[in-house]
């Protein structure tokens, strides 16, 4: 089977090029050849029945149904029922990075980072890291003023995040050796971010790529899930794993998960508010916060004039290959990036950048 394409000047109609494709079959062509061609046309050139436009239910209530914090950039997230909001976003979100020399590691380079599981012990004021087969390791949540002001040159770490220079301080050799063992590399360091040289309006020490907070919409995730199922069925691939909504949601590493808006309706927002109490997102937790100084608590509580947290939507988030990493196993797959690419005019965008 041979394919020929012809485009000539005389096939320009109303300023738009046209052309033709000729498919030649020979005596050795088989039914399989024909089936492959038809499959290609169906998968990439036929839209099928147009989707009915979604309409918002005027009686629906938009709710925050999930809150996630990622203390160490590109490591596993923590699902919480409530969390404190600060001027830099969710408290302790993406405040640490793993560095190899001057390079900031992410799951794109090492999917195994998804297996490093952090948790925070408020009473003791420590960040705890876990990895299968290794003993847990701890680092202090808050750097002392003496450590900030009198850090030695060997502790300073400088790297780049999305082209912006960041400066941090190493958390020490013990956790560095732990990371080497967990990820099977040499020369790794856990670095606490101190500052970021940024041209943004509100620069901070947060080490997130493009914004303080990433907001995801359940309806948008369900829409993508349907597309993944359709595409897997077309090519005869196993859909198992993508039918789990929580697992699919985890791949996009969002901070706030909302429900009640139509799919991709969040991209039209400019601002939104969350009802909370003293800057807490979600329901108030009965947790001790002795690890935080009294002055720090007072300053954070004074950030809020009422019980709502007002957030600004900066625009859609363009996704990269990291969404191919299954967060509970660290395994890579074609989906959901492949199906996200099939949405017209989306340019791989999913979720919205949000700022406090």
């Amino acid at each position: 089977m041979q394919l020929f394409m012809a485009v000539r000047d005389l096939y320009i109609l109303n300023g738009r090029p046209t052309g033709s494709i000729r498919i030649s079959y020979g005596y050795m062509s088989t039914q399989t050849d024909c089936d492959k061609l038809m499959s290609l046309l169906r998968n990439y050139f036929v839209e099928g029945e147009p989707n009915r436009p979604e309409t918002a239910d005027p009686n629906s209530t938009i709710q925050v149904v999930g809150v996630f914090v990622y203390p160490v950039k590109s490591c596993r997230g923590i699902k919480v029922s409530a969390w404190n909001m600060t001027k830099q976003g969710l408290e302790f979100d993406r405040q640490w990075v793993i560095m190899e020399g001057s390079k900031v590691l992410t799951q794109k380079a090492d999917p195994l980072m998804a297996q490093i599981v952090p948790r925070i012990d408020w009473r003791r004021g420590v960040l705890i890291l876990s990895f299968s087969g290794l003993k847990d390791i701890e680092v202090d949540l808050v750097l002392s003023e003496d450590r900030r002001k009198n850090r030695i040159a060997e502790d300073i770490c400088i790297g780049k995040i999305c082209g912006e220079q960041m400066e941090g301080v190493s958390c020490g050799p013990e956790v560095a050796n732990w990371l080497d063992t967990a990820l099977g590399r040499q020369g790794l360091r856990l670095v606490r971010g101190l500052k970021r040289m940024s041209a943004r309006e509100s620069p901070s020490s947060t080490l997130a790529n493009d914004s303080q907070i990433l907001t995801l919409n359940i309806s948008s995730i369900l829409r993508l899930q349907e597309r993944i199922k359709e595409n897997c069925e077309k090519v005869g691939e196993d859909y198992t794993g993508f039918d789990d909504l929580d697992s699919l949601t985890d791949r996009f590493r969002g901070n706030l998960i909302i429900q009640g808006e139509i799919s991709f309706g969040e991209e039209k927002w400019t601002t939104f508010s969350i009802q909370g109490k003293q800057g807490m997102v979600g329901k108030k937790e009965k947790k001790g916060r002795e690890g935080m100084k009294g002055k720090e608590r007072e300053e954070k509580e004074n950030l809020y004039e009422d019980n709502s947290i007002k957030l600004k939507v900066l625009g859609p988030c363009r996704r990269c290959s990291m969404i191919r990493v299954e967060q509970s196993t660290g395994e890579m797959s074609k989906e959901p990036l492949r199906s996200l690419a099939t949405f017209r005019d989306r340019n791989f965008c999913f979720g919205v950048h949000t700022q406090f």
Side-chain angles (χ1 to χ4, degrees), residues 161-167 195-206 208-211:
I161 296 174
C162 291
E164 297 179 346
Q165 184 171 299
M166 56 79 61
E167 181 178 310
K195 61 182 179 180
R196 184 171 176 173
M197 292 62 168
S198 174
R200 305 180 192 197
E201 293 181 3
S202 303
S204 69
S205 62
T206 179
N209 279 3
D210 294 305
S211 60

Side-chain angles (χ1 to χ4, degrees), residues 72-352:
V72 184
K73 184 178 178 68
S74 246
C75 292
R76 189 83 62 85
I78 307 172
K79 185 175 183 178
V80 297
S81 58
W83 205 256
N84 195 57
M85 187 76 79
T86 73
K87 290 181 179 179
Q88 285 76 41
L90 293 171
E91 188 174 20
F92 296 120
D93 184 64
R94 296 173 173 92
Q95 291 294 305
W96 288 265
V97 294
I98 298 173
M99 296 186 68
E100 187 176 43
S102 61
K103 179 183 177 182
V104 175
L105 287 187
T106 69
Q107 288 184 26
K108 285 189 289 185
D110 197 334
L112 197 59
M113 292 177 68
Q115 301 304 290
I116 297 178
V117 183
R119 66 182 188 276
I120 289 177
D121 187 328
W122 292 108
R123 297 184 182 279
R124 296 171 53 225
V126 294
L127 170 70
I128 304 169
L129 301 181
S130 301
F131 188 88
S132 179
L134 296 182
K135 184 179 178 181
D136 292 354
I137 195 161
E138 303 174 356
V139 295
D140 290 336
L141 275 178
V142 181
L143 286 175
S144 66
E145 284 300 314
D146 181 66
R147 184 82 192 281
R148 284 179 178 271
K149 294 179 180 179
N150 301 312
R151 55 188 186 274
I152 59 176
E154 287 79 4
D155 286 340
I156 299 298
C157 302
I158 297 176
K160 284 189 175 182
I161 296 174
C162 291
E164 297 179 346
Q165 184 171 299
M166 56 79 61
E167 181 178 310
V169 58
S170 172
C171 294
E174 185 178 359
V175 68
N177 292 332
W178 187 92
L179 291 171
D180 284 348
T181 303
L183 298 180
R185 292 172 174 259
Q186 294 294 321
L188 299 181
R189 288 185 290 183
L190 182 67
V191 177
R192 175 64 190 269
L194 294 178
K195 61 182 179 180
R196 184 171 176 173
M197 292 62 168
S198 174
R200 305 180 192 197
E201 293 181 3
S202 303
S204 69
S205 62
T206 179
L207 304 176
N209 279 3
D210 294 305
S211 60
Q212 297 173 347
I213 300 162
L214 181 64
T215 301
L216 300 176
N217 178 8
I218 289 292
S219 296
S220 303
I221 300 168
L222 288 170
R223 179 86 172 274
L224 176 61
Q225 189 179 48
E226 292 175 359
R227 183 65 62 87
I228 294 171
K229 183 177 181 180
E230 292 173 3
N231 289 336
C232 286
E233 289 175 348
K234 283 180 180 179
V235 296
E237 292 180 357
D238 188 7
Y239 175 66
T240 304
F242 296 103
D243 54 350
D244 186 329
L245 184 63
D246 290 337
S247 174
L248 181 57
T249 302
D250 288 347
R251 287 174 178 256
F252 291 92
R253 299 176 61 80
N255 294 111
L256 301 181
I257 317 298
I258 60 103
Q259 189 173 42
E261 175 62 284
I262 62 174
S263 61
F264 307 118
E266 68 278 9
E267 295 178 356
K268 298 179 181 179
W269 295 359
T270 56
T271 61
F272 66 101
S273 298
I274 299 173
Q275 295 301 313
K277 187 174 181 181
Q278 294 182 344
M280 297 293 291
V281 178
K283 296 180 180 179
K284 183 80 171 177
E285 285 185 327
K286 293 182 179 179
K287 278 191 176 181
R289 300 179 67 82
E290 287 77 5
M292 185 187 296
K293 297 178 182 179
K295 184 178 179 181
E296 290 177 308
R297 285 199 300 270
E298 183 180 352
E299 287 176 350
K300 287 179 173 60
E301 291 174 3
N302 288 338
L303 290 173
Y304 314 96
E305 298 177 356
D306 53 28
N307 288 338
S308 67
I309 298 170
K310 297 177 178 62
L311 299 169
K312 180 180 179 182
V313 176
L314 305 178
C317 174
R318 188 175 183 184
R319 310 315 298 232
C320 65
S321 61
M322 217 170 89
I323 62 174
R324 297 174 56 207
V325 181
E326 210 291 315
Q327 295 298 296
S328 65
T329 64
E331 295 178 352
M332 299 279 286
S333 63
K334 296 177 183 177
E335 298 289 359
L337 188 66
R338 180 178 64 181
S339 289
L340 185 58
T342 65
F343 282 90
R344 279 195 168 188
D345 303 321
R346 293 217 53 79
N347 199 22
F348 294 96
C349 289
F350 201 88
V352 290

